[in-house]
PDB file of all heavy atoms in Angstrom:
ATOM      1  N   LEU A 218     116.169  99.008 122.428  1.00 97.00           N
ATOM      2  CA  LEU A 218     115.852  99.293 121.059  1.00 97.00           C
ATOM      3  C   LEU A 218     115.056  98.294 120.397  1.00 97.00           C
ATOM      4  O   LEU A 218     115.420  97.049 120.337  1.00 97.00           O
ATOM      5  CB  LEU A 218     117.122  99.568 120.305  1.00 97.00           C
ATOM      6  CG  LEU A 218     116.983 100.076 118.785  1.00 97.00           C
ATOM      7  CD1 LEU A 218     116.363 101.554 118.888  1.00 97.00           C
ATOM      8  CD2 LEU A 218     118.285 100.219 118.044  1.00 97.00           C
ATOM      9  N   ASP A 219     113.888  98.619 119.795  1.00 97.00           N
ATOM     10  CA  ASP A 219     112.882  97.752 119.227  1.00 97.00           C
ATOM     11  C   ASP A 219     113.282  97.382 117.814  1.00 97.00           C
ATOM     12  O   ASP A 219     113.263  96.278 117.288  1.00 97.00           O
ATOM     13  CB  ASP A 219     111.604  98.240 119.284  1.00 97.00           C
ATOM     14  CG  ASP A 219     111.054  98.391 120.689  1.00 97.00           C
ATOM     15  OD1 ASP A 219     111.010  97.476 121.409  1.00 97.00           O
ATOM     16  OD2 ASP A 219     110.654  99.619 121.043  1.00 97.00           O
ATOM     17  N   TYR A 220     113.628  98.485 117.021  1.00 98.00           N
ATOM     18  CA  TYR A 220     114.000  98.385 115.528  1.00 98.00           C
ATOM     19  C   TYR A 220     115.216  99.088 115.253  1.00 98.00           C
ATOM     20  O   TYR A 220     115.600 100.121 115.838  1.00 98.00           O
ATOM     21  CB  TYR A 220     112.835  99.011 114.766  1.00 98.00           C
ATOM     22  CG  TYR A 220     111.614  98.086 114.683  1.00 98.00           C
ATOM     23  CD1 TYR A 220     110.649  98.198 115.746  1.00 98.00           C
ATOM     24  CD2 TYR A 220     111.301  97.393 113.568  1.00 98.00           C
ATOM     25  CE1 TYR A 220     109.517  97.405 115.779  1.00 98.00           C
ATOM     26  CE2 TYR A 220     110.115  96.594 113.543  1.00 98.00           C
ATOM     27  CZ  TYR A 220     109.327  96.682 114.668  1.00 98.00           C
ATOM     28  OH  TYR A 220     108.131  95.922 114.589  1.00 98.00           O
ATOM     29  N   TYR A 221     115.993  98.484 114.244  1.00 97.00           N
ATOM     30  CA  TYR A 221     117.170  99.177 113.662  1.00 97.00           C
ATOM     31  C   TYR A 221     116.896  99.331 112.055  1.00 97.00           C
ATOM     32  O   TYR A 221     116.652  98.350 111.497  1.00 97.00           O
ATOM     33  CB  TYR A 221     118.451  98.587 113.958  1.00 97.00           C
ATOM     34  CG  TYR A 221     119.548  99.526 113.711  1.00 97.00           C
ATOM     35  CD1 TYR A 221     119.925 100.452 114.589  1.00 97.00           C
ATOM     36  CD2 TYR A 221     120.419  99.340 112.431  1.00 97.00           C
ATOM     37  CE1 TYR A 221     121.131 101.250 114.175  1.00 97.00           C
ATOM     38  CE2 TYR A 221     121.327 100.190 112.188  1.00 97.00           C
ATOM     39  CZ  TYR A 221     121.702 101.161 113.034  1.00 97.00           C
ATOM     40  OH  TYR A 221     122.793 102.125 112.761  1.00 97.00           O
ATOM     41  N   ASN A 222     116.948 100.619 111.617  1.00 96.00           N
ATOM     42  CA  ASN A 222     116.844 100.805 110.284  1.00 96.00           C
ATOM     43  C   ASN A 222     118.116 100.898 109.503  1.00 96.00           C
ATOM     44  O   ASN A 222     119.057 101.700 109.915  1.00 96.00           O
ATOM     45  CB  ASN A 222     116.041 102.083 109.951  1.00 96.00           C
ATOM     46  CG  ASN A 222     116.183 102.481 108.545  1.00 96.00           C
ATOM     47  OD1 ASN A 222     116.864 103.428 108.152  1.00 96.00           O
ATOM     48  ND2 ASN A 222     115.401 101.767 107.618  1.00 96.00           N
ATOM     49  N   HIS A 223     118.307 100.113 108.517  1.00 96.00           N
ATOM     50  CA  HIS A 223     119.547 100.018 107.720  1.00 96.00           C
ATOM     51  C   HIS A 223     119.050  99.623 106.282  1.00 96.00           C
ATOM     52  O   HIS A 223     118.919  98.352 106.033  1.00 96.00           O
ATOM     53  CB  HIS A 223     120.533  99.258 108.314  1.00 96.00           C
ATOM     54  CG  HIS A 223     121.946  99.502 107.784  1.00 96.00           C
ATOM     55  ND1 HIS A 223     122.568 100.682 107.899  1.00 96.00           N
ATOM     56  CD2 HIS A 223     122.748  98.705 107.109  1.00 96.00           C
ATOM     57  CE1 HIS A 223     123.831 100.589 107.416  1.00 96.00           C
ATOM     58  NE2 HIS A 223     123.875  99.431 106.944  1.00 96.00           N
ATOM     59  N   ASN A 224     118.800 100.450 105.396  1.00 95.00           N
ATOM     60  CA  ASN A 224     118.280 100.194 104.189  1.00 95.00           C
ATOM     61  C   ASN A 224     119.296  99.544 103.201  1.00 95.00           C
ATOM     62  O   ASN A 224     120.381 100.060 103.137  1.00 95.00           O
ATOM     63  CB  ASN A 224     117.628 101.487 103.524  1.00 95.00           C
ATOM     64  CG  ASN A 224     116.341 101.849 104.154  1.00 95.00           C
ATOM     65  OD1 ASN A 224     115.619 101.035 104.896  1.00 95.00           O
ATOM     66  ND2 ASN A 224     116.006 103.150 104.106  1.00 95.00           N
ATOM     67  N   ILE A 225     118.820  98.730 102.263  1.00 96.00           N
ATOM     68  CA  ILE A 225     119.677  98.299 101.198  1.00 96.00           C
ATOM     69  C   ILE A 225     119.655  99.268 100.032  1.00 96.00           C
ATOM     70  O   ILE A 225     120.428  99.009  99.026  1.00 96.00           O
ATOM     71  CB  ILE A 225     119.375  96.852 100.700  1.00 96.00           C
ATOM     72  CG1 ILE A 225     118.068  96.624 100.258  1.00 96.00           C
ATOM     73  CG2 ILE A 225     119.721  95.831 101.993  1.00 96.00           C
ATOM     74  CD1 ILE A 225     117.669  95.207  99.663  1.00 96.00           C
ATOM     75  N   ASP A 226     118.648 100.103 100.025  1.00 94.00           N
ATOM     76  CA  ASP A 226     118.381 101.105  98.988  1.00 94.00           C
ATOM     77  C   ASP A 226     117.931 100.699  97.663  1.00 94.00           C
ATOM     78  O   ASP A 226     117.019 101.270  97.212  1.00 94.00           O
ATOM     79  CB  ASP A 226     119.701 101.915  98.912  1.00 94.00           C
ATOM     80  CG  ASP A 226     120.008 102.866 100.122  1.00 94.00           C
ATOM     81  OD1 ASP A 226     119.034 103.209 100.814  1.00 94.00           O
ATOM     82  OD2 ASP A 226     121.107 103.245 100.273  1.00 94.00           O
ATOM     83  N   THR A 227     118.509  99.689  97.140  1.00 96.00           N
ATOM     84  CA  THR A 227     118.167  99.305  95.747  1.00 96.00           C
ATOM     85  C   THR A 227     118.617  97.881  95.480  1.00 96.00           C
ATOM     86  O   THR A 227     118.965  97.249  96.367  1.00 96.00           O
ATOM     87  CB  THR A 227     118.840 100.291  94.599  1.00 96.00           C
ATOM     88  OG1 THR A 227     118.389 100.075  93.416  1.00 96.00           O
ATOM     89  CG2 THR A 227     120.377 100.360  94.694  1.00 96.00           C
ATOM     90  N   SER A 228     118.659  97.424  94.228  1.00 97.00           N
ATOM     91  CA  SER A 228     119.049  96.085  94.002  1.00 97.00           C
ATOM     92  C   SER A 228     120.573  95.955  94.128  1.00 97.00           C
ATOM     93  O   SER A 228     121.240  96.881  94.061  1.00 97.00           O
ATOM     94  CB  SER A 228     118.720  95.738  92.495  1.00 97.00           C
ATOM     95  OG  SER A 228     119.426  96.434  91.598  1.00 97.00           O
ATOM     96  N   PRO A 229     120.962  94.767  94.369  1.00 96.00           N
ATOM     97  CA  PRO A 229     122.431  94.418  94.403  1.00 96.00           C
ATOM     98  C   PRO A 229     123.155  94.960  93.116  1.00 96.00           C
ATOM     99  O   PRO A 229     124.340  95.459  93.155  1.00 96.00           O
ATOM    100  CB  PRO A 229     122.589  92.998  94.652  1.00 96.00           C
ATOM    101  CG  PRO A 229     121.329  92.558  95.250  1.00 96.00           C
ATOM    102  CD  PRO A 229     120.268  93.403  94.656  1.00 96.00           C
ATOM    103  N   GLU A 230     122.443  94.792  91.947  1.00 97.00           N
ATOM    104  CA  GLU A 230     123.095  95.110  90.654  1.00 97.00           C
ATOM    105  C   GLU A 230     123.236  96.624  90.462  1.00 97.00           C
ATOM    106  O   GLU A 230     124.155  97.180  89.932  1.00 97.00           O
ATOM    107  CB  GLU A 230     122.207  94.556  89.625  1.00 97.00           C
ATOM    108  CG  GLU A 230     122.194  92.969  89.493  1.00 97.00           C
ATOM    109  CD  GLU A 230     121.147  92.520  90.514  1.00 97.00           C
ATOM    110  OE1 GLU A 230     120.373  93.178  91.118  1.00 97.00           O
ATOM    111  OE2 GLU A 230     121.084  91.105  90.632  1.00 97.00           O
TER     112      GLU A 230
END
Side-chain angles (χ1 to χ4, degrees):
L218 187 65
D219 296 300
Y220 285 81
Y221 192 79
N222 168 257
H223 198 61
N224 292 336
I225 60 171
D226 286 338
T227 188
S228 69
E230 297 82 3

